[in-house]
Amino acid sequence: MLTQWQECLVDGKTDDFYITSFTYPSENECFATTFGRAIIHTTDNWKTTERIKHNVPSEQMPHYIEMTSKTDGVLVTRKEYIYQKDQFYVWTTTNGGHKWDLAFTSPVLNLSNSSFGLYYEDVLVEGFGETLFVLFADVIAVGNKDGTE
């Protein structure tokens, strides 16, 4: 039934509110990442938002966030280099996204023999239970969402 769907408007008070990923750990609480490399949090289903100050380097673009509770989560970021080299990172948090611990760093990926740059490649992320799978170019990384092997 379409009548059960509701529109939730995101407040436009931030300058970089192009959302790149989001996760709902509970019915009205959401964490989102933005194109401007911010992490946004709401507890009232987007009526109000807060920008979370975090320690992830600003040159890394968030591509995936999953919060399993108000405090615990995983974040996948990508650092784009020039000349067809890229790298992705997996981070974990236990304090609501204010501090992220680096759990995995991919090798620097290089497609120098390709006519397409890595910027055409998507970072694909999928979770299954406690396991996280990240696929980028020709690398598949697998680990636990809490950062352990």
Side-chain angles (χ1 to χ4, degrees), residues 28-147:
N28 292 313
E29 183 174 20
C30 183
F31 291 82
T33 61
T34 72
F35 187 75
R37 295 164 172 80
I39 297 174
I40 307 296
H41 178 237
T42 181
T43 57
D44 56 11
N45 216 13
W46 299 105
K47 290 183 181 80
T48 61
T49 60
E50 68 169 323
R51 181 188 300 251
I52 295 177
K53 293 184 180 189
H54 58 81
N55 64 314
V56 176
S58 62
E59 68 270 7
Q60 294 183 28
M61 170 71 77
H63 281 267
Y64 176 86
I65 189 169
E66 181 180 339
M67 298 295 290
T68 56
S69 70
K70 185 177 186 81
T71 57
D72 299 337
V74 63
L75 177 71
V76 177
T77 62
R78 174 181 178 180
K79 183 176 181 181
E80 297 178 1
Y81 294 90
I82 57 173
Y83 304 115
Q84 301 186 8
K85 294 180 181 179
D86 275 30
Q87 200 165 18
F88 69 87
Y89 305 83
V90 178
W91 301 82
T92 59
T93 187
T94 57
N95 68 357
H98 296 278
K99 180 181 179 294
W100 293 89
D101 298 310
L102 186 60
F104 177 79
T105 302
S106 77
V108 175
L109 305 172
N110 186 352
L111 287 182
S112 59
N113 60 353
S114 172
S115 60
F116 297 102
L118 279 171
Y119 54 88
Y120 288 113
E121 295 279 345
D122 289 327
V123 177
L124 303 175
V125 183
E126 184 66 39
F128 182 74
E130 293 301 312
T131 306
L132 188 71
F133 301 86
V134 181
L135 169 64
F136 180 61
D138 57 354
V139 172
I140 297 177
V142 179
N144 290 332
K145 293 177 183 176
D146 65 3

